[in-house]
Amino acid sequence: MAEPPSLRERTRRAVRAEITETAMRLFAANGFDATTVDQIATASGISRRSFFHYFGSKEDLVLGDTEALGETVRAALEARPAEEPAWAAIRAAFLALHVEKGMEMDGLTVARMYHEAPSLRARHLEKHLRWQVLLAPDIQRRLGLPDSATPDPRARAFVAAALACLDAAVDAWCESDGAADPVQLFDDAVAALRA
């Protein structure tokens, strides 16, 4: 049984949530690009320096810690049964990410921001490139490809395709104003690739 988080960790989470809520209000009122870190810090009652104690950047506030999230997906992927096919394993790993990220903020609002803010799109694409390298070794093994010091381009292409399916599902979910099932949309995108 996992130990409950310490008071310090609970306080840190509460402060992060408060900063996030304040930032989301500012983004809704002014737009992501027009809102500055200084405005977020001032509205949250903290210093600019304190903001960076909680978040690496304004983009990280929305996207989360992409390195840590990538590690979460990798750990979930590696925890899947060894004989599980690559598509089923990566799907389950992405679902674990959905649970891990939780709903600190409205996912629909975040998805809309991706479309409106070029800096978020750029950071998102940067995340995809990192995740290709991070997830490719397990996918390489699941595809039965020879082990190598660097990821096989076929494994990286597989991960890139899975991430593209995830993005397509989120985009379609956003366009449906949250009415569509994002998991089903992902499954549909994967089915189209595999046809």
Side-chain angles (χ1 to χ4, degrees), residues 37-88:
V37 168
D38 289 331
Q39 290 171 324
I40 297 167
T42 300
S44 299
I46 60 173
S47 68
R48 178 181 173 85
R49 182 176 177 178
S50 291
F51 174 90
F52 289 113
H53 177 71
Y54 291 97
F55 300 97
S57 69
K58 183 172 72 166
E59 290 78 14
D60 287 347
L61 188 147
V62 175
L63 295 174
D65 181 347
T66 59
E67 302 280 332
L69 292 173
E71 287 297 333
T72 297
V73 175
R74 183 178 63 82
L77 181 63
E78 291 176 353
R80 302 301 303 165
E83 68 284 350
E84 187 172 44
W87 281 113

Side-chain angles (χ1 to χ4, degrees), residues 1 22-23 35-38 77 80 85 95 97 111 116 124 152 168 191:
M1 186 148 137
T22 300
T35 303
T36 67
V37 168
D38 289 331
L77 181 63
R80 302 301 303 165
L95 285 174
L97 174 63
E116 297 166 5
H124 187 67
D152 187 294

